């Protein structure tokens, strides 16, 4: 599951707090929700997002929108990831959801199914949104099974390797080596050699040196978190499974697949190799990451040298400093080439959706049209936090990273230009699937279940999906 | 009762006392209204929902006993029940014994209100804060607790990160937080035991331990029983510590019943099935309370 900038500790506390509030003062909550009611009169459009880092950019868009549309204005509200979805759900039930909100593919199917989203084709301003205006494949992800469009593409993301450049240099690994690394599930290829080399035990012995103590590791070659990958392993194992075999896909068809493919021998062999890195001491075991240690924190703390992570995390990684206040040198490399003969990255994107409980859908559609238009997406590109869905916006974001952060982010964009991406699985029962795969990946990460258990999980998921005729 | 009252035998009956029923009903009304609206109605509705398929946004659809059939076949439910039971046994075991010892010490050793008040302080900390606190103290890599373990020559222990340790650790965290409250309940019970009984024991040369076992514990039984019923019911409903510290993991090792119910309802929108599990929990709690009540004879005392 893609989580933007979530800090697990904070998330947990926030969830608990939200619970306390929800349980303790249902009355107060509803009162407060009423006050923020979306159905804003007088042309005020309410808009929700979860990433605080993106709020300034979207505020600029809102200002530009107000200047272009006299009489209309946008009020932006930001909530952290967990609160965001529970408040949104509560809003749908109590008829207080915002006019427009930032939508995620992992949630979209359920919302479309519940009938809380308005088809954009039925609204004047958004009926002529063209798929071709956006990076290839993004727009079609947001069409429901009925063929109608429920979200206007706003940005996209892929994954790449973030590494600590100093640790790489210390290990004698060059940028060319990491850029051209390849992996395979048999001996791990040049990629595993590199990960082994980057791993250092308490006595300073590297993972590929004799006497390496895998139980006393100081720096792990690669980071891992979220109990082994929550479910789809987007920023953990997905670049490996995606480049395994002949280019593995999660589903028989995407979006709206009916069968998952975790029973494939290729993917199980790949997961076996991936979690084998934990047994070899090159990736931290479950005990270490169980608390609240996200991958970016492992790199920040210097307990890991490299990690797979998403493009939305660029500003987080590029901002690391050590205790002395010196900047941590961070480099970005593309995900390694796999047995499929190419690299692979999940391709995911966010979109803006209009809710059915909006009392001013036409105004809301104008704002959605503006958000998905060139003016706003160029503003977002220049803010440098995410890659906008339009090509020109993407180019601006690449230029921003080069100029302001001296960071080459082409490892992310290359996956798109070279068409080596696969899509985020869009299916019904997303939360139920997570309830099976989450603990399932956990068990495989810990070593409590063999990788072949994926076949059982796969059967359970497919049984769920088959209930929908 | 032996002498007949004049009112009964006298020839001129006193006027009947004014009928208080209306006034009584007036006094009872606010509490009764709250009881009906906030307890009876949600319970009845919850039981109804357990026979439906319901996702909050669409009208509930009656499905008979489907949810209960599914429950009996659901391995995660049985695991949750088993895990919850383990937690309750550990939590109540630690907590009651510790609370009893603390309460007796409070009574026998100190008169200081300050010291007695100090015992209660963890209870003033919210569950969430307590869980966060221990999450940090026990963190495998950075936790202070681990540093202490290492400094006394022991290995680090993945308290919340291993299936074997997670439930005992959560049981301990909640014991830490609740023991003061339980101790206070027992302490109040101790105050009801007359000093004369202890004096008699001293006269007979009873030792401190023997006094505790033969006088304090038996005379404390009704209060202990009441305390146990309250704490066991509370213990079965463990939720926040799990939600903060482990979120059900590793795998399903701490997926206690309440957390599973919460996830089903608010994460997966299966309010019907979640209601069925809640009804199951209700039945379990009713059975446990009934058995406890009978076994401990909580409604009688040996002081008479």
């Amino acid at each position: 599951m893609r989580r933007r900038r979530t800090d697990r500790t904070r998330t947990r506390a926030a969830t608990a707090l939200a619970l306390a509030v929800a349980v303790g003062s249902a009355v107060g909550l509803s009162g407060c929700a009423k006050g923020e009611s979306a159905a804003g009169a007088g042309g005020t459009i309410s808009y929700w997002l979860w990433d605080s880092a993106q709020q300034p950019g979207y505020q600029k868009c809102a200002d530009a929108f107000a200047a272009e549309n006299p009489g209309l204005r946008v009020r932006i509200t930001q909530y952290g990831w967990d609160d965001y979805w529970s408040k949104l759900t509560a809003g749908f039930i109590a008829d207080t959801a915002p006019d427009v909100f930032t939508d995620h593919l992992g949630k979209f199917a359920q919302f479309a199914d519940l009938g809380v989203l308005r088809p954009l084709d039925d609204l004047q301003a958004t009926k002529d949104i063209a798929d071709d205006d956006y990076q290839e494949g993004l727009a079609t992800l947001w069409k429901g099974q009925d063929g109608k469009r429920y979200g206007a593409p706003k940005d996209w993301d892929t994954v790449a390797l973030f590494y600590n450049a100093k640790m790489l240099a210390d290990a004698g690994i060059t940028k060319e080596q990491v850029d051209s690394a390849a992996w395979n599930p048999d001996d791990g290829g040049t990629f595993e050699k590199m990960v082994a080399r980057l791993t250092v035990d308490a006595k300073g012995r590297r993972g590929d040196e004799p006497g390496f103590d895998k139980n006393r590791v100081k720096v792990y070659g690669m980071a891992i978190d979220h109990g082994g990958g929550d479910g789809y392993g987007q920023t953990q194992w997905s670049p490996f499974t995606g480049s395994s075999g002949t280019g593995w896909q999660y589903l028989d068809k995407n979006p709206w697949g009916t069968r998952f493919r975790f029973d494939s021998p290729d993917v199980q062999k790949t997961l076996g190799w991936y979690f084998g890195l934990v047994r070899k001491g090159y990736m931290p075991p479950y005990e270490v990451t169980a608390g609240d240690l996200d991958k970016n924190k492992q790199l920040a703390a210097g307990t890991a040298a490299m990690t797979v992570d998403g493009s939305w995390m660029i500003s987080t990684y590029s901002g690391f400093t050590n205790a002395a206040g010196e900047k941590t040198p961070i480099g970005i490399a593309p995900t390694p080439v796999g047995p499929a003969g190419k690299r692979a990255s999940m391709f995911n994107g966010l979109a803006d959706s209009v809710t059915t409980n909006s009392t001013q859908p036409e105004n809301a559609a104008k704002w959605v049209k503006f958000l998905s238009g060139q003016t706003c997406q160029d503003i977002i590109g220049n803010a440098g936090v995410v890659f906008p869905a339009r090509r020109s916006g993407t180019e601006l974001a690449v230029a921003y990273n080069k100029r302001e952060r001296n960071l080459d982010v082409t490892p992310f964009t290359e996956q798109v230009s070279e068409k080596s991406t696969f899509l985020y699985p869009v299916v019904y029962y997303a939360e139920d699937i997570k309830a099976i795969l989450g603990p399932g990946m956990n068990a495989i990460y810990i070593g409590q279940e063999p990788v072949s258990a994926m076949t059982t999980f796969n059967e359970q998921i497919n049984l769920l999906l088959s209930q929908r005729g | 009762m032996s002498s007949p009252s004049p009112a009964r035998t006298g020839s001129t009956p006193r006027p009947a006392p004014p009928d208080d029923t209306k006034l009584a009903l007036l006094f009872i009304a606010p509490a009764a209204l709250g009881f009906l609206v906030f307890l009876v109605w949600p319970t009845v509705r919850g039981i109804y929902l357990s026979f439906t398929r319901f996702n909050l946004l669409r009208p509930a659809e009656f499905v008979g006993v489907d949810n209960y059939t599914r429950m009996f076949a659901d391995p995660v439910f049985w695991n949750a029940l088993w895990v919850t039971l383990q937690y309750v046994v550990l939590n109540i075991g630690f907590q009651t014994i510790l609370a009893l010892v603390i309460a007796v010490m409070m009574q026998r050793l100190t008169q200081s209100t300050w010291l007695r008040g100090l015992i209660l302080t963890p209870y003033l900390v919210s569950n969430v804060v307590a869980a966060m606190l221990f999450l940090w103290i026990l963190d495998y890599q950075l936790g202070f607790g681990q540093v202490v373990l290492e400094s006394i020559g022991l290995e680090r222990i993945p308290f919340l990160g291993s299936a074997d340790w997670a439930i005992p650790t959560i049981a301990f965290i909640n014991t830490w937080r609740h023991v003061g409250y339980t101790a206070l309940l027992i302490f109040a019970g101790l105050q009801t035991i007359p000093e004369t009984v202890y004096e008699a024991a001293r006269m007979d040369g009873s030792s401190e331990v023997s006094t505790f076992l033969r006088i304090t514990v038996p005379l404390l039984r009704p209060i202990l029983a009441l305390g146990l019923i309250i704490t066991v019911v509370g213990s079965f409903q463990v939720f926040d510590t799990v939600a903060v510290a482990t979120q059900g993991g590793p795998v399903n090792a701490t997926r206690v019943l309440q957390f599973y119910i919460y996830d089903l309802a608010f994460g997966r929108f299966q309010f019907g099935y979640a209601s069925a599990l809640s009804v199951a929990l209700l039945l379990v709690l009713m059975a446990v309370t009934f058995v406890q009540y009978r076994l401990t004879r909580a409604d009688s005392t040996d002081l008479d």
Side-chain angles (χ1 to χ4, degrees):
Chain A
M1 179 69 47
R2 166 189 187 179
R3 294 187 174 176
R4 292 194 166 221
R5 232 171 276 289
T6 44
D7 166 325
R8 258 196 158 181
T9 313
R10 235 185 293 149
T11 311
R12 285 173 179 175
T15 313
L17 201 68
L19 280 172
V21 170
V23 174
S25 64
V27 180
L29 193 71
S30 71
C32 129
K34 272 258 156 31
E36 290 166 16
S37 173
T44 300
I45 301 158
S46 53
Y47 178 59
W48 285 10
L49 46 78
W50 66 78
D51 187 354
S52 57
Q54 293 189 57
Q55 194 171 352
Y58 281 107
Q59 188 55 55
K60 280 189 198 163
C61 284
D63 296 342
F65 176 75
E68 234 176 68
N69 297 277
L72 291 183
R73 55 180 286 267
V74 178
R75 192 174 61 233
I76 301 178
T77 311
Q78 181 265 335
Y79 298 110
W81 173 271
D82 281 333
D83 286 349
Y84 183 85
W85 297 108
S86 44
K87 277 195 192 299
L88 196 62
T89 310
F92 286 136
I93 295 160
D95 241 9
T96 54
D99 295 298
V100 182
F101 72 99
T102 308
D103 205 349
H104 188 277
L105 284 173
K107 309 275 179 180
F108 158 55
Q110 189 175 41
F111 288 149
D113 197 32
L114 293 172
V116 293
L117 307 180
R118 267 179 211 267
L120 298 180
D121 321 70
D122 298 352
L123 298 169
Q124 197 59 36
T126 47
K127 68 175 185 206
D128 60 344
I129 287 177
D131 294 2
D132 298 343
D133 286 345
Y134 308 96
Q135 298 281 6
E136 201 176 322
L138 278 184
T140 45
L141 283 172
W142 293 95
K143 287 184 184 165
Q145 246 182 332
D146 55 4
K148 293 193 169 170
R149 187 192 306 281
Y150 289 97
K154 60 193 288 130
D155 62 23
W156 60 268
D157 57 80
T158 52
V159 302
L161 295 170
F162 287 89
Y163 58 83
N164 182 322
K166 184 171 179 308
M167 288 184 179
L168 234 74
D170 290 348
I173 299 168
T174 64
K175 182 171 162 30
E176 287 67 37
Q177 280 172 312
V178 62
D179 284 347
S180 63
W183 75 276
N184 66 66
D186 300 313
D187 66 1
T190 55
F191 181 74
E192 182 175 329
K193 286 202 179 70
M194 202 168 74
V195 175
R197 181 99 196 120
L198 285 168
T199 308
V200 185
D201 75 7
K203 293 201 172 130
R205 290 172 299 216
R206 294 189 173 273
D208 58 355
E209 287 170 359
F212 166 70
D213 182 358
K214 64 177 186 177
N215 297 317
R216 297 264 184 292
V217 177
K218 211 174 81 203
V219 181
Y220 291 97
M222 194 156 72
I224 179 174
D225 64 358
H226 285 181
D230 279 340
Y232 300 147
Q234 180 181 18
T235 58
Q236 290 83 15
W237 41 262
S238 80
F240 303 104
T241 50
S243 59
S244 70
T246 52
W248 179 79
Q249 299 277 343
Y250 290 86
L251 288 162
D252 54 349
K253 62 178 193 300
N254 197 5
W256 314 113
T258 55
R259 293 192 73 77
F260 266 86
R261 290 173 159 166
F262 284 114
D263 52 352
S264 137
D266 281 332
V267 78
Q268 293 190 3
K269 199 173 169 193
T270 303
L271 288 174
W273 166 77
Y274 178 80
F275 288 107
L277 296 176
V278 177
R279 317 283 173 255
K280 290 172 188 167
Y282 303 157
M283 280 203 297
Y286 182 85
E287 300 89 82
V288 172
T289 61
D292 55 351
L293 215 55
D294 286 357
K295 296 183 296 286
N296 67 79
K297 288 190 201 154
Q298 297 172 38
L299 253 76
T303 58
M306 183 169 68
T307 186
V308 175
D309 219 331
S311 52
W312 63 92
M313 293 297 287
I314 293 171
S315 61
T316 304
Y317 282 93
S318 63
F320 287 160
T321 51
N322 64 12
E326 293 158 350
K327 237 172 115 53
T328 308
I330 291 289
I332 302 173
T335 57
V337 175
K342 61 178 182 70
R343 327 178 176 287
S345 163
M346 190 187 276
F347 193 34
N348 179 30
L350 305 183
D352 292 306
S353 295
V354 178
T355 61
T356 38
N357 74 243
S358 168
T359 52
Q360 41 175 349
E362 288 300 342
N363 289 342
K366 278 185 193 158
W367 168 234
V368 169
K369 175 76 175 173
F370 189 80
L371 283 167
S372 60
Q374 175 140 13
T375 318
C376 176
Q377 300 217 344
D378 284 355
I379 292 174
I380 298 303
N382 274 323
V385 181
V386 289
F387 294 122
R390 282 178 178 262
R391 293 176 187 86
S392 67
T394 300
E395 280 158 27
L396 287 169
V398 172
Y400 176 93
N401 278 293
K402 191 82 223 157
R403 189 175 69 239
E404 303 290 330
R405 300 186 177 125
N406 193 26
L407 210 55
D408 178 14
V409 294
T410 49
F412 292 105
T413 55
E414 251 173 41
Q415 303 267 11
V416 179
S417 57
E418 288 171 13
K419 301 197 190 327
S420 53
T421 57
F422 54 93
L423 297 173
Y424 186 98
V426 178
V427 279
Y428 292 112
Y429 298 110
E431 290 296 325
D432 302 282
I433 291 169
K434 206 175 117 192
I436 295 169
L437 283 179
M441 295 314 306
N442 233 217
I444 291 173
Y445 179 16
I446 292 168
Q448 191 175 315
E449 295 271 2
V451 181
S452 57
M454 288 306 284
T455 307
T456 319
F457 304 147
N458 202 58
E459 279 163 13
Q460 292 171 352
I461 297 171
N462 288 344
L463 183 71
L464 265 177
L465 292 178
S466 70
Q467 287 175 13
R468 259 200 104 86
Chain B
M1 283 297 180
S2 52
S3 62
S5 65
R8 290 255 178 102
T9 50
S11 50
T12 50
R14 259 172 42 182
D19 186 6
D20 289 338
T21 316
K22 278 188 182 147
L23 192 64
L25 285 177
L26 192 72
F27 282 135
I28 294 170
L33 191 74
F35 181 70
L36 283 174
V37 172
F38 296 110
L39 288 164
V40 175
W41 172 241
T43 308
V44 171
R45 183 156 165 81
I47 293 172
Y48 160 71
L49 284 178
S50 74
F51 295 102
T52 65
R53 192 196 303 262
F54 183 43
N55 68 9
L56 274 187
L57 286 165
R58 299 249 174 88
E61 175 194 343
F62 191 78
V63 292
V65 292
D66 277 12
N67 288 327
Y68 290 95
T69 325
R70 178 179 161 195
M71 182 175 86
F72 282 109
D74 182 357
V76 185
F77 164 71
W78 291 109
N79 174 69
L81 204 57
W82 171 234
V83 167
T84 311
L85 201 66
Q86 284 177 310
Y87 166 81
V88 170
V89 168
L90 286 173
N91 177 242
I92 295 301
F94 286 149
Q95 191 168 299
T96 311
I97 293 171
L98 215 61
L100 190 58
V101 173
I102 291 174
V104 169
M105 290 203 301
M106 275 206 282
Q107 198 201 19
R108 312 286 289 155
L109 299 180
T110 173
Q111 296 292 323
S112 156
T113 317
W114 269 103
L115 205 60
R116 289 173 176 179
L118 210 63
I119 305 288
L120 199 65
T121 41
Y123 189 67
L124 305 179
V125 177
S126 94
N127 270 338
V128 172
V129 174
M132 294 288 297
L133 198 70
F134 279 97
L135 189 66
W136 286 328
I137 292 177
L138 303 177
D139 185 275
Y140 190 72
Q141 278 207 317
L142 313 165
F144 176 71
Q146 305 288 0
V147 178
V148 172
L149 275 183
E150 281 199 330
S151 71
I152 56 172
L154 293 173
E155 290 275 309
R156 284 174 182 244
I157 299 173
F159 286 105
L160 291 161
S162 93
D164 298 333
W165 279 99
I167 278 290
T169 305
I170 288 178
F172 161 77
I173 294 173
N174 284 350
T175 297
W176 175 82
R177 169 153 140 64
H178 289 278
V179 75
Y181 176 70
T182 315
L184 201 72
L185 274 181
I186 296 174
F187 180 68
L190 287 176
Q191 307 278 47
T192 66
I193 302 175
E195 182 56 28
T196 49
V197 186
Y198 286 107
E199 210 179 309
R202 275 197 297 276
M203 297 281 273
D204 292 346
S206 167
S207 72
E208 194 70 27
V209 173
S210 161
T211 309
F212 173 74
L213 290 177
R214 289 168 186 231
I215 297 195
T216 310
V217 174
L219 289 182
L220 203 56
R221 184 181 43 75
I223 295 288
L224 262 180
L226 179 78
L228 267 179
I229 290 172
I230 294 175
T231 51
V232 166
V233 169
S235 188
F236 262 101
Q237 303 186 23
V238 54
F239 173 79
D240 19 22
T241 318
V242 170
V244 173
T246 60
Q247 297 178 310
V251 197
N252 286 322
T254 58
R255 204 167 301 276
V256 291
L257 206 45
Q258 284 276 37
F259 189 73
Y260 186 43
I261 292 172
Y262 167 78
D263 188 42
L264 276 168
F266 297 95
R268 298 162 67 182
F269 293 95
Q270 299 183 8
F271 283 84
Y273 185 47
S275 298
L277 296 195
S278 307
V279 171
L281 180 61
L282 176 73
L283 293 177
V284 168
L285 286 180
M286 279 167 70
V288 167
T289 309
F290 181 74
V291 169
Q292 273 188 308
Y293 201 78
R294 295 307 289 266
L295 281 183
T296 55
R297 294 177 293 126
D299 53 348
S300 66
T301 168
D302 296 332
L303 265 176
D304 298 334

